[in-house]
PDB file of all heavy atoms in Angstrom:
ATOM      1  N   GLN A 503     -25.519  30.053-158.256  1.00  0.00           N
ATOM      2  CA  GLN A 503     -26.443  30.227-157.150  1.00  0.00           C
ATOM      3  C   GLN A 503     -27.520  29.163-157.334  1.00  0.00           C
ATOM      4  O   GLN A 503     -28.282  29.230-158.301  1.00  0.00           O
ATOM      5  CB  GLN A 503     -27.059  31.623-157.246  1.00  0.00           C
ATOM      6  CG  GLN A 503     -27.487  32.216-155.952  1.00  0.00           C
ATOM      7  CD  GLN A 503     -27.859  33.675-156.108  1.00  0.00           C
ATOM      8  OE1 GLN A 503     -27.809  34.219-157.202  1.00  0.00           O
ATOM      9  NE2 GLN A 503     -28.260  34.300-155.026  1.00  0.00           N
ATOM     10  N   PRO A 504     -27.602  28.187-156.483  1.00  0.00           N
ATOM     11  CA  PRO A 504     -28.518  27.060-156.711  1.00  0.00           C
ATOM     12  C   PRO A 504     -29.964  27.459-156.481  1.00  0.00           C
ATOM     13  O   PRO A 504     -30.574  27.090-155.481  1.00  0.00           O
ATOM     14  CB  PRO A 504     -28.059  26.018-155.705  1.00  0.00           C
ATOM     15  CG  PRO A 504     -27.466  26.810-154.594  1.00  0.00           C
ATOM     16  CD  PRO A 504     -26.873  28.048-155.216  1.00  0.00           C
ATOM     17  N   ALA A 505     -30.519  28.202-157.431  1.00  0.00           N
ATOM     18  CA  ALA A 505     -31.832  28.817-157.238  1.00  0.00           C
ATOM     19  C   ALA A 505     -32.922  27.787-156.949  1.00  0.00           C
ATOM     20  O   ALA A 505     -33.721  27.950-156.029  1.00  0.00           O
ATOM     21  CB  ALA A 505     -32.201  29.637-158.465  1.00  0.00           C
ATOM     22  N   ARG A 506     -32.913  26.724-157.727  1.00  0.00           N
ATOM     23  CA  ARG A 506     -33.998  25.761-157.551  1.00  0.00           C
ATOM     24  C   ARG A 506     -33.914  25.116-156.182  1.00  0.00           C
ATOM     25  O   ARG A 506     -34.921  24.964-155.475  1.00  0.00           O
ATOM     26  CB  ARG A 506     -33.920  24.696-158.646  1.00  0.00           C
ATOM     27  CG  ARG A 506     -35.214  23.940-158.785  1.00  0.00           C
ATOM     28  CD  ARG A 506     -35.120  22.859-159.835  1.00  0.00           C
ATOM     29  NE  ARG A 506     -34.649  23.374-161.121  1.00  0.00           N
ATOM     30  CZ  ARG A 506     -34.484  22.604-162.186  1.00  0.00           C
ATOM     31  NH1 ARG A 506     -34.768  21.309-162.118  1.00  0.00           N
ATOM     32  NH2 ARG A 506     -34.051  23.118-163.313  1.00  0.00           N
ATOM     33  N   GLN A 507     -32.694  24.770-155.829  1.00  0.00           N
ATOM     34  CA  GLN A 507     -32.502  24.151-154.521  1.00  0.00           C
ATOM     35  C   GLN A 507     -32.881  25.118-153.394  1.00  0.00           C
ATOM     36  O   GLN A 507     -33.438  24.712-152.377  1.00  0.00           O
ATOM     37  CB  GLN A 507     -31.032  23.747-154.391  1.00  0.00           C
ATOM     38  CG  GLN A 507     -30.736  22.833-153.224  1.00  0.00           C
ATOM     39  CD  GLN A 507     -29.239  22.610-153.067  1.00  0.00           C
ATOM     40  OE1 GLN A 507     -28.471  22.896-153.985  1.00  0.00           O
ATOM     41  NE2 GLN A 507     -28.836  22.128-151.919  1.00  0.00           N
ATOM     42  N   MET A 508     -32.582  26.381-153.607  1.00  0.00           N
ATOM     43  CA  MET A 508     -32.948  27.374-152.594  1.00  0.00           C
ATOM     44  C   MET A 508     -34.467  27.415-152.417  1.00  0.00           C
ATOM     45  O   MET A 508     -34.976  27.483-151.300  1.00  0.00           O
ATOM     46  CB  MET A 508     -32.424  28.743-153.009  1.00  0.00           C
ATOM     47  CG  MET A 508     -30.914  28.859-152.935  1.00  0.00           C
ATOM     48  SD  MET A 508     -30.283  30.403-153.641  1.00  0.00           S
ATOM     49  CE  MET A 508     -30.618  31.543-152.294  1.00  0.00           C
ATOM     50  N   GLY A 509     -35.173  27.355-153.530  1.00  0.00           N
ATOM     51  CA  GLY A 509     -36.628  27.351-153.446  1.00  0.00           C
ATOM     52  C   GLY A 509     -37.136  26.133-152.708  1.00  0.00           C
ATOM     53  O   GLY A 509     -38.004  26.225-151.827  1.00  0.00           O
ATOM     54  N   ALA A 510     -36.580  24.976-153.047  1.00  0.00           N
ATOM     55  CA  ALA A 510     -37.017  23.739-152.399  1.00  0.00           C
ATOM     56  C   ALA A 510     -36.757  23.799-150.906  1.00  0.00           C
ATOM     57  O   ALA A 510     -37.602  23.419-150.087  1.00  0.00           O
ATOM     58  CB  ALA A 510     -36.298  22.549-153.021  1.00  0.00           C
ATOM     59  N   LEU A 511     -35.593  24.312-150.558  1.00  0.00           N
ATOM     60  CA  LEU A 511     -35.238  24.393-149.149  1.00  0.00           C
ATOM     61  C   LEU A 511     -36.136  25.382-148.415  1.00  0.00           C
ATOM     62  O   LEU A 511     -36.534  25.153-147.266  1.00  0.00           O
ATOM     63  CB  LEU A 511     -33.773  24.813-149.024  1.00  0.00           C
ATOM     64  CG  LEU A 511     -33.149  24.677-147.647  1.00  0.00           C
ATOM     65  CD1 LEU A 511     -33.326  23.255-147.130  1.00  0.00           C
ATOM     66  CD2 LEU A 511     -31.673  25.025-147.708  1.00  0.00           C
ATOM     67  N   ALA A 512     -36.466  26.463-149.066  1.00  0.00           N
ATOM     68  CA  ALA A 512     -37.355  27.443-148.448  1.00  0.00           C
ATOM     69  C   ALA A 512     -38.704  26.799-148.131  1.00  0.00           C
ATOM     70  O   ALA A 512     -39.256  26.976-147.041  1.00  0.00           O
ATOM     71  CB  ALA A 512     -37.553  28.633-149.379  1.00  0.00           C
ATOM     72  N   MET A 513     -39.194  26.031-149.065  1.00  0.00           N
ATOM     73  CA  MET A 513     -40.479  25.359-148.842  1.00  0.00           C
ATOM     74  C   MET A 513     -40.363  24.367-147.687  1.00  0.00           C
ATOM     75  O   MET A 513     -41.242  24.291-146.826  1.00  0.00           O
ATOM     76  CB  MET A 513     -40.876  24.635-150.134  1.00  0.00           C
ATOM     77  CG  MET A 513     -42.260  23.993-150.087  1.00  0.00           C
ATOM     78  SD  MET A 513     -43.585  25.188-149.911  1.00  0.00           S
ATOM     79  CE  MET A 513     -44.755  24.217-148.958  1.00  0.00           C
ATOM     80  N   GLU A 514     -39.264  23.659-147.676  1.00  0.00           N
ATOM     81  CA  GLU A 514     -39.040  22.689-146.601  1.00  0.00           C
ATOM     82  C   GLU A 514     -39.002  23.400-145.250  1.00  0.00           C
ATOM     83  O   GLU A 514     -39.621  22.957-144.275  1.00  0.00           O
ATOM     84  CB  GLU A 514     -37.719  21.972-146.872  1.00  0.00           C
ATOM     85  CG  GLU A 514     -37.489  20.731-146.056  1.00  0.00           C
ATOM     86  CD  GLU A 514     -36.143  20.120-146.395  1.00  0.00           C
ATOM     87  OE1 GLU A 514     -35.768  20.147-147.589  1.00  0.00           O
ATOM     88  OE2 GLU A 514     -35.459  19.648-145.477  1.00  0.00           O
ATOM     89  N   ASN A 515     -38.278  24.503-145.207  1.00  0.00           N
ATOM     90  CA  ASN A 515     -38.190  25.272-143.960  1.00  0.00           C
ATOM     91  C   ASN A 515     -39.549  25.783-143.529  1.00  0.00           C
ATOM     92  O   ASN A 515     -39.872  25.784-142.350  1.00  0.00           O
ATOM     93  CB  ASN A 515     -37.233  26.443-144.149  1.00  0.00           C
ATOM     94  CG  ASN A 515     -35.788  26.017-144.019  1.00  0.00           C
ATOM     95  OD1 ASN A 515     -35.518  24.870-143.658  1.00  0.00           O
ATOM     96  ND2 ASN A 515     -34.878  26.921-144.318  1.00  0.00           N
ATOM     97  N   LEU A 516     -40.329  26.200-144.486  1.00  0.00           N
ATOM     98  CA  LEU A 516     -41.666  26.694-144.151  1.00  0.00           C
ATOM     99  C   LEU A 516     -42.489  25.585-143.507  1.00  0.00           C
ATOM    100  O   LEU A 516     -43.202  25.812-142.522  1.00  0.00           O
ATOM    101  CB  LEU A 516     -42.366  27.216-145.411  1.00  0.00           C
ATOM    102  CG  LEU A 516     -43.740  27.834-145.180  1.00  0.00           C
ATOM    103  CD1 LEU A 516     -43.666  28.938-144.137  1.00  0.00           C
ATOM    104  CD2 LEU A 516     -44.300  28.391-146.485  1.00  0.00           C
ATOM    105  N   CYS A 517     -42.363  24.395-144.032  1.00  0.00           N
ATOM    106  CA  CYS A 517     -43.085  23.268-143.449  1.00  0.00           C
ATOM    107  C   CYS A 517     -42.642  23.043-142.010  1.00  0.00           C
ATOM    108  O   CYS A 517     -43.469  22.796-141.127  1.00  0.00           O
ATOM    109  CB  CYS A 517     -42.862  22.006-144.277  1.00  0.00           C
ATOM    110  SG  CYS A 517     -43.767  21.987-145.825  1.00  0.00           S
ATOM    111  N   ARG A 518     -41.335  23.119-141.774  1.00  0.00           N
ATOM    112  CA  ARG A 518     -40.840  22.977-140.401  1.00  0.00           C
ATOM    113  C   ARG A 518     -41.452  24.039-139.504  1.00  0.00           C
ATOM    114  O   ARG A 518     -41.886  23.774-138.393  1.00  0.00           O
ATOM    115  CB  ARG A 518     -39.323  23.153-140.384  1.00  0.00           C
ATOM    116  CG  ARG A 518     -38.583  22.036-141.055  1.00  0.00           C
ATOM    117  CD  ARG A 518     -37.451  21.531-140.174  1.00  0.00           C
ATOM    118  NE  ARG A 518     -36.706  20.502-140.904  1.00  0.00           N
ATOM    119  CZ  ARG A 518     -35.580  20.745-141.560  1.00  0.00           C
ATOM    120  NH1 ARG A 518     -35.043  21.941-141.544  1.00  0.00           N
ATOM    121  NH2 ARG A 518     -34.973  19.764-142.196  1.00  0.00           N
ATOM    122  N   LEU A 519     -41.486  25.232-140.033  1.00  0.00           N
ATOM    123  CA  LEU A 519     -42.031  26.344-139.251  1.00  0.00           C
ATOM    124  C   LEU A 519     -43.493  26.072-138.911  1.00  0.00           C
ATOM    125  O   LEU A 519     -43.946  26.293-137.786  1.00  0.00           O
ATOM    126  CB  LEU A 519     -41.915  27.626-140.087  1.00  0.00           C
ATOM    127  CG  LEU A 519     -41.925  28.954-139.340  1.00  0.00           C
ATOM    128  CD1 LEU A 519     -40.752  29.028-138.395  1.00  0.00           C
ATOM    129  CD2 LEU A 519     -41.885  30.094-140.329  1.00  0.00           C
ATOM    130  N   LEU A 520     -44.218  25.560-139.890  1.00  0.00           N
ATOM    131  CA  LEU A 520     -45.629  25.278-139.674  1.00  0.00           C
ATOM    132  C   LEU A 520     -45.811  24.141-138.678  1.00  0.00           C
ATOM    133  O   LEU A 520     -46.817  24.061-137.981  1.00  0.00           O
ATOM    134  CB  LEU A 520     -46.300  24.912-141.008  1.00  0.00           C
ATOM    135  CG  LEU A 520     -46.427  26.064-141.997  1.00  0.00           C
ATOM    136  CD1 LEU A 520     -46.991  25.576-143.323  1.00  0.00           C
ATOM    137  CD2 LEU A 520     -47.313  27.159-141.422  1.00  0.00           C
ATOM    138  N   ALA A 521     -44.835  23.249-138.628  1.00  0.00           N
ATOM    139  CA  ALA A 521     -44.921  22.132-137.694  1.00  0.00           C
ATOM    140  C   ALA A 521     -44.505  22.551-136.292  1.00  0.00           C
ATOM    141  O   ALA A 521     -44.613  21.770-135.353  1.00  0.00           O
ATOM    142  CB  ALA A 521     -44.041  20.983-138.175  1.00  0.00           C
ATOM    143  N   GLY A 522     -44.033  23.778-136.157  1.00  0.00           N
ATOM    144  CA  GLY A 522     -43.685  24.273-134.841  1.00  0.00           C
ATOM    145  C   GLY A 522     -42.207  24.178-134.527  1.00  0.00           C
ATOM    146  O   GLY A 522     -41.763  24.661-133.493  1.00  0.00           O
ATOM    147  N   ASP A 523     -41.438  23.516-135.393  1.00  0.00           N
ATOM    148  CA  ASP A 523     -40.004  23.427-135.143  1.00  0.00           C
ATOM    149  C   ASP A 523     -39.370  24.797-135.243  1.00  0.00           C
ATOM    150  O   ASP A 523     -39.666  25.557-136.147  1.00  0.00           O
ATOM    151  CB  ASP A 523     -39.331  22.520-136.185  1.00  0.00           C
ATOM    152  CG  ASP A 523     -39.904  21.125-136.144  1.00  0.00           C
ATOM    153  OD1 ASP A 523     -40.777  20.887-135.290  1.00  0.00           O
ATOM    154  OD2 ASP A 523     -39.505  20.291-136.971  1.00  0.00           O
ATOM    155  N   PRO A 524     -38.491  25.102-134.336  1.00  0.00           N
ATOM    156  CA  PRO A 524     -37.775  26.373-134.444  1.00  0.00           C
ATOM    157  C   PRO A 524     -36.734  26.272-135.557  1.00  0.00           C
ATOM    158  O   PRO A 524     -36.193  25.196-135.816  1.00  0.00           O
ATOM    159  CB  PRO A 524     -37.108  26.524-133.083  1.00  0.00           C
ATOM    160  CG  PRO A 524     -36.947  25.126-132.593  1.00  0.00           C
ATOM    161  CD  PRO A 524     -38.086  24.335-133.165  1.00  0.00           C
ATOM    162  N   LEU A 525     -36.489  27.389-136.208  1.00  0.00           N
ATOM    163  CA  LEU A 525     -35.550  27.404-137.323  1.00  0.00           C
ATOM    164  C   LEU A 525     -34.433  28.394-137.047  1.00  0.00           C
ATOM    165  O   LEU A 525     -34.651  29.397-136.387  1.00  0.00           O
ATOM    166  CB  LEU A 525     -36.262  27.845-138.595  1.00  0.00           C
ATOM    167  CG  LEU A 525     -36.994  26.805-139.409  1.00  0.00           C
ATOM    168  CD1 LEU A 525     -37.553  27.453-140.656  1.00  0.00           C
ATOM    169  CD2 LEU A 525     -36.049  25.687-139.788  1.00  0.00           C
ATOM    170  N   PRO A 526     -33.241  28.123-137.549  1.00  0.00           N
ATOM    171  CA  PRO A 526     -32.199  29.140-137.482  1.00  0.00           C
ATOM    172  C   PRO A 526     -32.601  30.321-138.359  1.00  0.00           C
ATOM    173  O   PRO A 526     -33.334  30.147-139.342  1.00  0.00           O
ATOM    174  CB  PRO A 526     -30.979  28.430-138.048  1.00  0.00           C
ATOM    175  CG  PRO A 526     -31.534  27.339-138.903  1.00  0.00           C
ATOM    176  CD  PRO A 526     -32.795  26.915-138.228  1.00  0.00           C
ATOM    177  N   ALA A 527     -32.146  31.490-138.014  1.00  0.00           N
ATOM    178  CA  ALA A 527     -32.542  32.683-138.749  1.00  0.00           C
ATOM    179  C   ALA A 527     -32.087  32.622-140.201  1.00  0.00           C
ATOM    180  O   ALA A 527     -32.702  33.205-141.075  1.00  0.00           O
ATOM    181  CB  ALA A 527     -31.975  33.926-138.077  1.00  0.00           C
ATOM    182  N   GLN A 528     -31.024  31.881-140.421  1.00  0.00           N
ATOM    183  CA  GLN A 528     -30.528  31.778-141.782  1.00  0.00           C
ATOM    184  C   GLN A 528     -30.120  30.350-142.102  1.00  0.00           C
ATOM    185  O   GLN A 528     -29.537  29.662-141.279  1.00  0.00           O
ATOM    186  CB  GLN A 528     -29.304  32.666-141.972  1.00  0.00           C
ATOM    187  CG  GLN A 528     -29.607  34.070-142.360  1.00  0.00           C
ATOM    188  CD  GLN A 528     -28.429  34.749-143.023  1.00  0.00           C
ATOM    189  OE1 GLN A 528     -28.445  35.936-143.239  1.00  0.00           O
ATOM    190  NE2 GLN A 528     -27.397  33.982-143.338  1.00  0.00           N
TER     191      GLN A 528
END
Side-chain angles (χ1 to χ4, degrees):
Chain A
Q503 208 170 1
R506 198 182 307 180
Q507 192 187 344
M508 290 172 79
L511 192 54
M513 185 64 212
E514 194 181 322
N515 279 353
L516 183 55
C517 285
R518 291 229 184 98
L519 202 61
L520 291 175
D523 300 358
L525 275 183
Q528 273 201 190

